[in-house]
Amino acid sequence: MSEIKNSLGLENVGKIKRNVSIDQLIKDAVENEGAKISSEGALMIDTGIFTGRSPKDKYFVNQDPSNKYISWGNVNKPIDKKIYEDLRAVSLKQLNGKDLYVTDVFSGSSPSSRKSIRIITEIAWQSHFVQNMFIMPTEEELENFVPDFTMYNACKTTNPNWEEQGLNSEVYVAFDVEANEAVIGGTWYAGEIKKGIFSMMNYWLPLDGKMAMHCSANVGKDGDTALFFGLSGTGKTTLSTDPHRALIGDDEHGWDDDGVFNFEGGCYAKVINLDPKSEPEIYAAIKKGAILENVVADENGVVDYNDGSKTENTRVSYPINHIDNIQPNSMAGHPTNIIFLSADAFGVLPPVSKLTNEQAMYYFLSGYTAKVAGTERGITEPVATFSACFGEAFLPLHPTDYAKLLGQKIKEHNVNVYLVNTGWTGGAYGVGHRMSIKNTRACINGILDGNINDSEFETIPFFNLSVPKTLAGVDTEVLNPRNTWSDKSQYDESAKKLASMYVENFKKYLTDDSDFDFTAAGPQI
Ligand code: ATP
Ligand code: MN
């Protein structure tokens, strides 16, 4: 322990609580942090002011030559080393003299690709979260543990100098990739830890020729691996949790020469309006060892999953072994199928379509979904989001770096790629309704069991997407979205509108690199 103490860079350290037991963490969280236990036995915590990530407060040290690969812009904002040193000093001042949870974990289930990560925090429930979401070393691995990367979470402090420093706010999530270190202040939201390390994996792996992906993954009985890419709320967690297929992971994966592997050791599911009938596995995962975030419960700890009064982003984190059907070691072979999930609130995209390799690149770089704007006072217009590679917020390198890697792998392993709309059908938000999970699952089953290969396909206007005319288990009328709209001309108008948003967004990828221009594979208006 004294070795760890000395390595933390703090003048004074209280007690070091390294990889302490979940029982102890629960006890500490209840005694010191106002946590409660739900009627299912899960730890219930509130994350404070922030119930989601603060992407505008994320920075990388701009220090040549180490950071020459980073794609600078709104997602990856540069700060001088001097400012990082200030943020570091603010963080260490907060942690100085405190009892600290030091949690040593792996990111990456593949021993040849994993990274050793040390997370330092004052907060017991954050250490519990880290133990749920990352991969826990064995005792032997812990003995020889040398961190590749260290993250100081000083969430109780804020940065007083942000204005002079020209930063966004008093909150900071700052990375120094050369020093292999990050500091967090001003936000307690533990998703910053999860997605912060994900960002680092997205930095390290591609530079090593390995793909890093914001996707879920599962594998069938015959060893056929499937990946599900998608932005938040599109169904990565919901749809990869399938009793008939072994879960590899629900959010972050790598793809190296041996196949697909999870970065994480746990899942992080949305629980707003959680319905035990349509998502029984996730519901059953809420028990001791799970952490419920920002949910509302009565005095007996009975949670009202329909209550979004603290946030709509209520979540549960649980170790992956809370799910029955999981893939041992969270690794599997090269994918057979890749599915891009878009929750299209315009109700334009078909529930399932098969993509050519060129379309796969186009839709991957576009990274589309649509959010439903505030549901108050009759605001019904959906808002389109385009986030490259279905996860631009977590990509330190340029999106085309990831697309090129994915494209090579798709070709090399002859992978089928599909686009699945988990959003609206029968009209846009306000008129139509969200596709049922049952129907979406039926579309996905058709892909995974290969039935879709027996279908006859037709092409839909503007998007030139190839849509099956029939598919076992799915109502034939819903397959072509135009059929589900009562007003066909309105469909055409909306389709044209969405198509032009795609076209507008894709202009940034018009490159001189004629081998890597996929404009022609996109919508044409
Ligand atoms: P994140 O990246 O934020 O973890 P995610 O892609 O994992 O997001 P999910 O947690 O799976 O998203 O969220 C999908 C939400 O949408 C769930 O709350 C689910 O119940 C709901 N839902 C409703 N209809 C569908 C559908 N047809 N397919 C998938 N999910 C649906
Ligand atoms: Mn998820």
Side-chain angles (χ1 to χ4, degrees):
M1 282 306 171
S2 68
E3 225 174 279
I4 296 179
K5 241 180 191 175
N6 296 335
S7 74
L8 294 183
L10 295 161
E11 271 169 39
N12 252 314
V13 190
K15 227 160 91 195
I16 293 286
K17 298 183 254 186
R18 187 188 189 208
N19 290 34
V20 300
S21 72
I22 294 293
D23 280 326
Q24 184 64 47
L25 291 171
I26 292 173
K27 191 164 170 273
D28 292 358
V30 170
E31 277 173 15
N32 310 323
E33 296 164 5
K36 299 256 170 5
I37 307 294
S38 82
S39 59
E40 304 103 340
L43 187 71
M44 291 190 289
I45 56 103
D46 283 351
T47 60
I49 309 170
F50 294 95
T51 56
R53 287 177 301 101
S54 307
K56 291 189 178 135
D57 297 305
K58 184 178 175 187
Y59 308 96
F60 286 87
V61 174
N62 182 11
Q63 184 193 37
D64 280 329
S66 66
N67 286 357
K68 66 183 175 196
Y69 305 110
I70 293 185
S71 173
W72 301 108
N74 284 339
V75 170
N76 303 309
K77 288 187 288 197
I79 48 170
D80 290 343
K81 179 82 176 176
K82 168 77 185 68
I83 293 180
Y84 181 86
E85 293 295 349
D86 287 351
L87 296 173
R88 188 177 197 273
V90 168
S91 309
L92 294 200
K93 186 174 165 217
Q94 171 61 36
L95 299 176
N96 199 44
K98 305 282 167 36
D99 292 352
L100 296 175
Y101 297 95
V102 174
T103 317
D104 287 340
V105 292
F106 295 119
S107 179
S109 57
S110 155
S112 57
S113 292
R114 75 186 180 196
K115 296 285 177 184
S116 302
I117 310 290
R118 171 166 291 169
I119 312 283
I120 298 157
T121 172
E122 292 175 68
I123 314 296
W125 68 254
Q126 288 182 348
S127 177
H128 187 344
F129 178 90
V130 170
Q131 294 201 25
N132 280 8
M133 297 310 301
F134 290 83
I135 295 166
M136 294 301 287
T138 61
E139 255 170 58
E140 200 189 333
E141 287 167 334
L142 207 53
E143 237 159 71
N144 307 312
F145 195 91
V146 180
D148 295 312
F149 193 85
T150 300
M151 181 182 260
Y152 292 91
N153 190 314
C155 60
K156 288 188 180 178
T157 192
T158 55
N159 174 21
N161 308 315
W162 65 275
E163 272 166 313
E164 302 100 89
Q165 292 164 340
L167 303 186
N168 175 63
S169 82
E170 69 282 7
V171 176
Y172 56 91
V173 181
F175 299 80
D176 185 339
V177 300
E178 192 180 50
N180 283 310
E181 195 189 91
V183 290
I184 295 180
T187 171
W188 294 53
Y189 190 66
E192 300 285 7
I193 304 173
K194 167 183 155 67
K195 284 298 206 289
I197 299 303
F198 181 47
S199 299
M200 288 309 305
M201 294 297 275
N202 283 329
Y203 177 79
W204 290 314
L205 266 63
L207 295 181
D208 210 10
K210 298 169 182 175
M211 184 62 185
M213 309 174 287
H214 188 216
C215 70
S216 61
N218 63 22
V219 55
K221 288 189 187 67
D222 302 332
D224 61 302
T225 302
L227 304 181
F228 305 78
F229 285 87
L231 289 166
S232 186
T234 57
K236 291 185 300 299
T237 299
T238 296
L239 299 169
S240 59
T241 310
D242 176 339
H244 305 296
R245 297 176 61 84
L247 181 65
I248 305 170
D250 82 323
D251 199 52
E252 309 172 359
H253 290 83
W255 184 0
D256 62 17
D257 288 341
D258 300 323
V260 169
F261 60 97
N262 194 357
F263 290 167
E264 302 183 286
C267 302
Y268 196 34
K270 289 177 185 297
V271 294
I272 194 72
N273 303 324
L274 181 64
D275 173 6
K277 281 197 220 70
S278 50
E279 301 186 63
E281 294 80 16
I282 291 174
Y283 191 79
I286 305 174
K287 57 184 183 183
K288 186 176 170 193
I291 308 174
L292 282 165
E293 284 180 9
N294 302 315
V295 297
V296 177
D298 69 14
E299 62 279 11
N300 301 316
V302 177
V303 178
D304 179 359
Y305 289 105
N306 298 321
D307 192 329
S309 58
K310 290 180 188 167
T311 173
E312 287 288 311
N313 188 30
T314 54
R315 294 263 180 174
V316 60
S317 82
Y318 47 86
I320 196 164
N321 62 22
H322 280 206
I323 298 293
D324 284 338
N325 193 1
I326 55 173
Q327 173 76 350
N329 302 321
S330 298
M331 287 185 271
H334 299 290
T336 305
N337 294 294
I338 290 180
I339 296 170
F340 296 154
L341 304 170
S342 291
D344 174 27
F346 293 97
V348 163
L349 293 180
V352 55
S353 50
K354 187 169 193 332
L355 305 182
T356 62
N357 282 354
E358 291 72 29
Q359 284 176 324
M361 288 293 97
Y362 184 90
Y363 285 92
F364 183 64
L365 277 171
S366 295
Y368 164 74
T369 196
K371 296 206 174 95
V372 175
T375 46
E376 289 157 49
R377 281 178 288 147
I379 303 168
T380 54
E381 183 73 355
V383 182
T385 306
F386 292 93
S387 176
C389 314
F390 298 100
E392 197 169 356
F394 322 118
L395 305 182
L397 312 182
H398 194 272
T400 52
D401 292 337
Y402 301 90
K404 282 181 181 168
L405 261 176
L406 184 70
Q408 282 163 14
K409 288 194 169 297
I410 285 173
K411 276 197 193 133
E412 187 184 340
H413 300 286
N414 221 348
V415 189
N416 308 308
V417 186
Y418 298 88
L419 180 65
V420 164
N421 173 13
T422 62
W424 270 250
T425 178
Y429 173 80
V431 178
H433 57 89
R434 187 151 183 196
M435 213 82 68
S436 68
I437 294 180
K438 189 167 159 275
N439 253 337
T440 298
R441 280 199 193 279
C443 291
I444 286 173
N445 290 341
I447 294 170
L448 299 180
D449 63 20
N451 273 343
I452 198 166
N453 296 320
D454 303 331
S455 303
E456 211 183 302
F457 285 78
E458 60 185 333
T459 305
I460 63 156
F462 307 115
F463 288 86
N464 299 323
L465 289 167
S466 207
V467 173
K469 283 185 174 174
T470 57
L471 188 58
V474 186
D475 298 333
T476 301
E477 315 79 84
V478 308
L479 288 170
N480 186 326
R482 197 167 184 269
N483 295 341
T484 68
W485 285 52
S486 52
D487 186 336
K488 310 290 179 222
S489 67
Q490 216 169 32
Y491 174 83
D492 293 339
E493 205 179 293
S494 293
K496 209 166 161 182
K497 199 167 126 195
L498 180 60
S500 24
M501 288 191 258
Y502 266 100
V503 169
E504 192 54 39
N505 171 69
F506 208 78
K507 282 183 182 161
K508 56 179 177 265
Y509 299 117
L510 299 181
T511 57
D512 300 332
D513 186 353
S514 56
D515 288 342
F516 207 74
D517 180 359
F518 297 99
T519 319
Q524 307 294 323
I525 38 169

